[in-house]
Amino acid sequence: MDADLEKSAQSSTTSGHNRLHTSKKRPLDTTKWMASIDDETLLSNLTIPGTHDSAAYTKTWAPFVQTQTLPIRAQLRSGIRYFDLRCTLRNNVLEMCHGIRYLNLTLASVLQTIYTFLSNHPSEALVVQIKQDRRSQNSSVSFAEAVIELLTHQSSHWRTANTPTILGELRGRIQLFRRFNITEPGAAYGIDVTEWQDNPTRPFTIYTSHSTRLTIQDHYSFPSGATLPDLIRKKGGAISELLTMASKDPDPWHWYVNFTSAYELSLRYQIPPRPIAAGGWWGFRWEEGVNVRLRGWLEQKRRGRFGIVAMDFPEVDGGELVEALVKTNFRRDERLDRERMRWLVMGVVVLLYVFWILWRGFGWWMSGGPRAASGVDRDGLDAPVQSSVAVDFVS
């Protein structure tokens, strides 16, 4: 599988003709790309671009903490529709964090940005995963109680059911993926993903109530001392494996969640998330990152269901990776081919009709045109016309 991404990286960097430039084709408005999708479409049957540790854009000085450069509003406008929000509770306030690091953001402020976007773009639907990333501190309520209370203030924006949903039901709203425990085990509050495995080497499947299944790839840490090229290839293999599984699965109810993020922190190598995602120098050679390889892979496949793809720094490729993911939701080539064929047939029919009219007109003119009708022959001599009735009367 890693060979597929390796080949894709080479073709996407050495050949520009495979790229899908929306400015030259059909413009893609990433702020409302879901508007063109049918209401009856299952959300689990879409390709949904997302971000890993979505709020980790504030610590630019900490390479092992930062996973994004775009703030939440810019991510939304770029087409991101899955958000991985990691929080803790400190002094009864839900704060964004990445591991032990605070991000100087509150969950309330992040959600307010999301609410504003959805109010202005009611055609869009989001999936938001909320995770407790570290233990609570100096708080009189539990993490779950604080989250539920916060979400209740804007309950109209949330879907906290644990059943499958269609796009029409979720427009202007958010489906909750709950990655924190609640006080009532088994209670329905969002899609329960608390059985999420930490850094598994293979994809795993979570089975929830109401026959909801989620298969997840989240192998993010490689402490074995791999070089950057080897690390990118290993991670690329894991990514492409789940992409292929999602595209070949005929069950539209089955969720797929694919994390492209990774890092290495070993005695031999210390590789933060950015060079893995965006590429970096290794020795005297530039290694294309996971993002470019993924875009090349998608442009070869063109269309299909690939599930949620949660990325680090997806914008470093000029936004083309997010657009490539979005475009897989539209059978663009087949639709345009049908449209072109219909217009071609109509054009041929019109041309044939015009040609027929011209040919009839030309034949009429050659046979005498208006002079023949008035009794003037083609030599310009008067030739009185006698009807058959007149002849019979004379005789």
Side-chain angles (χ1 to χ4, degrees):
M1 294 297 179
D2 54 340
D4 291 339
L5 285 185
E6 178 74 16
K7 190 183 301 181
S8 300
Q10 295 173 357
S11 64
S12 64
T13 55
T14 59
S15 174
H17 70 273
N18 287 329
R19 296 188 178 186
L20 296 176
H21 293 286
T22 57
S23 59
K24 295 181 180 179
K25 299 289 184 181
R26 176 172 295 184
L28 173 66
D29 187 349
T30 54
T31 65
K32 54 180 181 180
W33 61 266
M34 287 181 164
S36 301
I37 299 178
D38 189 80
D39 279 348
E40 300 303 315
T41 304
L42 283 165
L43 217 66
S44 53
N45 201 31
L46 291 174
T47 300
I48 301 177
T51 47
H52 152 253
D53 252 303
S54 306
Y57 58 85
T58 59
K59 299 292 184 181
T60 57
W61 51 268
F64 280 93
V65 176
Q66 185 187 23
T67 58
Q68 310 297 329
T69 60
L70 294 180
I72 300 298
R73 181 176 181 273
Q75 292 180 37
L76 285 161
R77 295 189 62 81
S78 73
I80 298 297
R81 297 294 178 264
Y82 170 89
F83 291 86
D84 173 25
L85 303 183
R86 308 195 176 197
C87 323
T88 187
L89 187 64
R90 184 171 63 162
N91 301 320
N92 288 335
V93 176
L94 290 161
E95 298 188 46
M96 308 306 300
C97 64
H98 185 179
I100 63 172
R101 299 286 187 180
Y102 292 98
L103 301 176
N104 301 327
L105 293 168
T106 64
L107 178 59
S109 65
V110 170
L111 292 181
Q112 188 56 53
T113 300
I114 291 174
Y115 299 151
T116 301
F117 176 84
L118 288 175
S119 296
N120 294 329
H121 302 84
S123 64
E124 304 308 285
L126 304 182
V127 178
V128 169
Q129 175 179 288
I130 297 179
K131 178 194 176 187
Q132 183 174 9
D133 218 26
R134 57 178 296 174
R135 291 183 178 180
S136 303
Q137 295 181 347
N138 304 323
S139 298
S140 58
V141 297
S142 69
F143 181 88
E145 290 171 332
V147 171
I148 292 172
E149 181 182 0
L150 181 61
L151 270 55
T152 301
H153 291 320
Q154 293 283 347
S155 59
S156 61
H157 279 300
W158 286 93
R159 184 182 188 273
T160 56
N162 60 354
T163 55
T165 181
I166 59 175
L167 182 57
E169 180 187 356
L170 201 64
R171 292 194 192 276
R173 302 171 67 205
I174 308 162
Q175 172 64 59
L176 174 66
F177 277 16
R178 176 173 57 84
R179 201 172 167 187
F180 59 89
N181 292 313
I182 55 179
T183 53
E184 299 179 23
Y189 194 77
I191 294 177
D192 182 1
V193 292
T194 53
E195 294 183 7
W196 199 288
Q197 298 179 23
D198 184 43
N199 196 37
T201 57
R202 299 287 304 154
F204 62 97
T205 300
I206 296 176
Y207 297 88
T208 73
S209 57
H210 295 88
S211 302
T212 301
R213 285 188 300 159
L214 303 95
T215 297
I216 301 158
Q217 182 281 124
D218 190 19
H219 189 200
Y220 63 86
S221 178
F222 296 79
S224 58
T227 64
L228 178 62
D230 287 342
L231 188 57
I232 290 173
R233 281 191 284 271
K234 287 179 181 178
K235 185 62 186 181
I239 295 166
S240 61
E241 178 184 11
L242 199 73
L243 292 172
T244 302
M245 287 175 60
S247 66
K248 292 183 177 180
D249 188 351
D251 181 7
W253 305 84
H254 192 158
W255 289 90
Y256 286 87
V257 186
N258 204 344
F259 276 73
T260 70
S261 51
Y263 73 89
E264 181 180 338
L265 193 58
S266 65
L267 293 175
R268 189 172 183 184
Y269 299 115
Q270 297 80 46
I271 305 175
R274 187 178 181 99
I276 299 170
W281 290 99
W282 193 259
F284 297 100
R285 178 179 174 179
W286 175 265
E287 291 293 332
E288 293 291 1
V290 166
N291 290 358
V292 169
R293 296 164 188 256
L294 174 57
R295 176 172 55 78
W297 189 91
L298 290 167
E299 289 177 357
Q300 291 176 12
K301 301 296 180 181
R302 296 267 177 174
R303 58 183 178 270
R305 185 273 294 261
F306 299 109
I308 294 169
V309 182
M311 303 164 283
D312 286 345
F313 308 102
E315 73 285 349
V316 297
D317 193 28
E320 292 187 9
L321 174 53
V322 176
E323 290 190 6
L325 283 163
V326 169
K327 285 183 175 180
T328 63
N329 291 296
F330 305 96
R331 303 184 74 84
R332 190 176 67 86
D333 295 76
E334 291 182 4
R335 187 175 69 247
L336 288 182
D337 286 344
R338 288 196 298 268
E339 291 176 0
R340 291 191 186 107
M341 183 59 67
R342 185 170 65 250
W343 283 105
L344 179 61
V345 170
M346 290 176 61
V348 169
V349 170
V350 170
L351 286 175
L352 288 174
Y353 180 74
V354 171
F355 181 79
W356 179 78
I357 293 294
L358 292 175
W359 180 256
R360 287 289 304 272
F362 180 75
W364 174 71
W365 182 264
M366 291 299 294
S367 65
R371 289 172 294 184
S374 62
V376 180
D377 66 10
R378 283 177 291 180
D379 294 328
L381 302 176
D382 292 338
V385 178
Q386 294 181 338
S387 67
S388 58
V389 176
V391 172
D392 291 339
F393 179 79
V394 171
S395 61

